[in-house]
Amino acid sequence: MKEAKVENKIDLSFELNGQPYHLAVPPTYRLVDIIRTDLQLTGTKISCEIGRCGACSVLLNGKVVNSCLVMAYQIHLSTIETIEHVSHQSLHPIQQAFLEEGGLQCGYCTPGMIIALKDLLEQNQQPTDEEVIEHLSGNLCRCTGYTGIIRAVQRYREVVNKK
């Protein structure tokens, strides 16, 4: 008689988008698996799965990370924010600027770009174009050529200056 293989699970407690969660998941799970599969939040995209494209970017304890590289055990007692939470009440000003300046085309990389820019803009509301480019170095876009994205940040800076 063959024995069934029983996979161990690890217990996790964390806060995601302002809500507490308690889950038991396989130890090989990644944060992106929890977000997309278990919690059905599909705004965080999966693309390269090796941390080179930034499509899966989220904020983990206030810092931008590639969720495809974060193992489940690493999020225990952490705070996570996904793209769904960025605009939970209304569009974030950087999202509005993306719309107004054509900072997106196919939109696949946009959630990761917005998360990375939100991280930058919380640290520095008036970044230079060079600082924006450096901060987005972990996010790849194959459609826009980044011109619309830079224009969106410039628009954001203009709006912030008027306040």
Side-chain angles (χ1 to χ4, degrees):
M1 182 160 113
K2 233 181 189 179
E3 285 187 38
K5 185 177 179 183
V6 177
E7 187 169 346
N8 293 330
K9 294 200 175 196
I10 57 173
D11 291 320
L12 302 173
S13 294
F14 57 93
E15 183 179 297
L16 186 124
N17 296 339
Q19 299 295 316
Y21 286 91
H22 306 283
L23 297 176
V25 299
T28 57
Y29 248 35
R30 304 167 300 167
L31 176 54
V32 72
D33 301 320
I34 292 169
I35 292 169
R36 291 184 55 86
T37 304
D38 291 316
L39 303 178
Q40 299 293 301
L41 297 173
T42 57
T44 301
K45 304 301 182 202
I46 296 176
S47 187
C48 74
E49 298 196 60
I50 57 172
R52 292 194 178 160
C53 73
C56 67
S57 295
V58 298
L59 295 174
L60 176 63
N61 297 325
K63 301 289 182 193
V64 67
V65 298
N66 292 322
S67 62
C68 71
L69 297 179
V70 178
M71 297 306 293
Y73 71 87
Q74 293 174 294
I75 68 166
H76 186 60
L77 304 178
S78 293
T79 301
I80 302 152
E81 183 178 4
T82 68
I83 190 66
E84 286 86 357
H85 196 252
V86 172
S87 62
H88 69 284
Q89 293 178 348
S90 64
L91 287 180
H92 186 280
I94 193 62
Q95 290 174 306
Q96 186 64 42
F98 258 65
L99 290 172
E100 292 170 1
E101 294 299 329
L104 57 122
Q105 286 184 13
C106 83
Y108 201 81
C109 70
T110 305
M113 292 279 185
I114 296 293
I115 289 288
L117 288 170
K118 182 178 185 290
D119 177 57
L120 171 64
L121 296 169
E122 285 177 356
Q123 298 170 44
N124 177 4
Q125 287 198 337
Q126 297 294 327
T128 64
D129 290 350
E130 292 77 24
E131 289 170 322
V132 171
I133 291 166
E134 182 179 334
H135 204 78
L136 290 177
S137 64
N139 296 78
L140 300 179
C141 177
R142 299 192 189 276
C143 300
T144 67
Y146 299 89
T147 305
I149 295 166
I150 298 298
R151 278 195 323 265
V153 176
Q154 291 167 343
R155 168 70 63 109
Y156 173 90
R157 286 192 302 242
E158 290 170 12
V159 169
V160 168
N161 278 336
K162 289 180 184 177
K163 289 184 179 182

